[in-house]
Amino acid sequence: MSGVPASAAGGPRTAPVIQQAGLWNIANLLTMLRLVLVPAFVLLLMHDNGTDRAWRAFAWAAFAVAMITDVFDGHLARTYNLVTDFGKIADPIADKAIMGAALICLSVLGDLSWWVTGVILFRELGITLMRFWVIKHGVIPASRGGKIKTLAQGTAVGMYVLVLTGPLATFRWWVMAVAVALTVVTGLDYIRQAVVLRRAGLARERAERAERDPAR
């Protein structure tokens, strides 16, 4: 033996093993909490046909916890390398579930117009499907406008969960109007990004085929 490491002597190198985070980490636990909060939130909001102020206040608390954990679980996963396959699937499901449940319940109770619920849910489902449509060409990153949209939606829906009257009831209408406008505008921007990304991906594929078979 020469005492020289194999890598220095030109021998084979062993790739470092990257250990994936376990399922039971803090980020995934927060995501699981959000999933559990969805049915709890629905039961609280719909109790006594949504006429009890106290129960609706409890529903608002559950909704607020869900929205807050939505911010922290993703941040923790990225910061401390806690990204898992479960989190990639469960996190967006939990996001859409709590918001979708809130919008549908509020419309069932007659507190929110169905067209508002339809616009927001159509946009969220459409963007999710569009991401899968272009995923082989690249990932559409979350934009600042999208984050502001999420904040506006959460604030507006939270205000509708509470029983508000007078100026606050008028104010929440305007907050929801802003949320709907941001929903539409950011949705159109995501569509633009998806089209540009897909065109660039197709052009790259054509260029690669031309390099492999220049005579064709």
Side-chain angles (χ1 to χ4, degrees):
M1 294 180 64
S2 64
V4 180
S7 59
R13 297 184 180 184
T14 303
V17 178
I18 300 176
Q19 186 175 4
Q20 187 180 36
L23 173 65
W24 300 101
N25 61 67
I26 184 62
N28 284 346
L29 289 175
L30 290 176
T31 300
M32 294 176 192
L33 174 62
R34 290 213 316 284
L35 290 170
V36 172
L37 282 174
V38 174
F41 165 78
V42 171
L43 291 174
L44 291 169
L45 180 59
M46 300 301 290
H47 178 76
D48 199 15
N49 292 322
T51 58
D52 193 307
R53 289 175 175 264
W55 283 82
R56 290 189 68 143
F58 292 138
W60 176 87
F63 181 79
V65 170
M67 297 304 293
I68 291 172
T69 56
D70 178 27
V71 175
F72 283 104
D73 63 355
H75 175 72
L76 290 171
R78 291 186 297 270
T79 302
Y80 298 102
N81 194 27
L82 300 177
V83 177
T84 63
D85 293 336
F86 170 82
K88 293 177 183 178
I89 297 173
D91 183 65
I93 291 176
D95 297 344
K96 303 297 186 293
I98 189 65
M99 183 60 69
L103 290 167
I104 292 172
C105 287
L106 289 171
S107 293
V108 169
L109 293 173
D111 295 333
L112 186 65
S113 298
W114 275 106
W115 74 264
V116 174
T117 295
V119 167
I120 294 177
L121 293 184
F122 179 79
R123 185 270 191 196
E124 299 301 332
L125 178 61
I127 295 302
T128 300
L129 294 176
M130 189 174 60
R131 286 178 182 274
F132 284 109
W133 179 55
V134 300
I135 194 169
K136 73 172 184 177
H137 302 297
V139 177
I140 304 175
S143 64
R144 179 175 298 180
K147 295 177 181 178
I148 295 174
K149 177 270 302 180
T150 301
L151 177 61
Q153 284 183 358
T155 302
V157 170
M159 295 181 73
Y160 270 85
V161 170
L162 292 171
V163 179
L164 301 178
T165 58
L168 286 177
T170 302
F171 179 67
R172 74 179 179 183
W173 186 92
W174 285 105
V175 175
M176 181 60 76
V178 171
V180 171
L182 289 172
T183 297
V184 174
V185 171
T186 55
L188 293 174
D189 183 59
Y190 274 118
I191 293 174
R192 179 192 62 80
Q193 293 184 59
V195 171
V196 171
L197 184 63
R198 187 170 187 273
R199 286 177 177 174
L202 293 175
R204 186 167 56 251
E205 290 177 356
R206 288 193 295 268
E208 291 173 353
R209 285 197 299 268
E211 289 180 359
R212 290 194 300 267
D213 190 6
R216 183 174 180 179

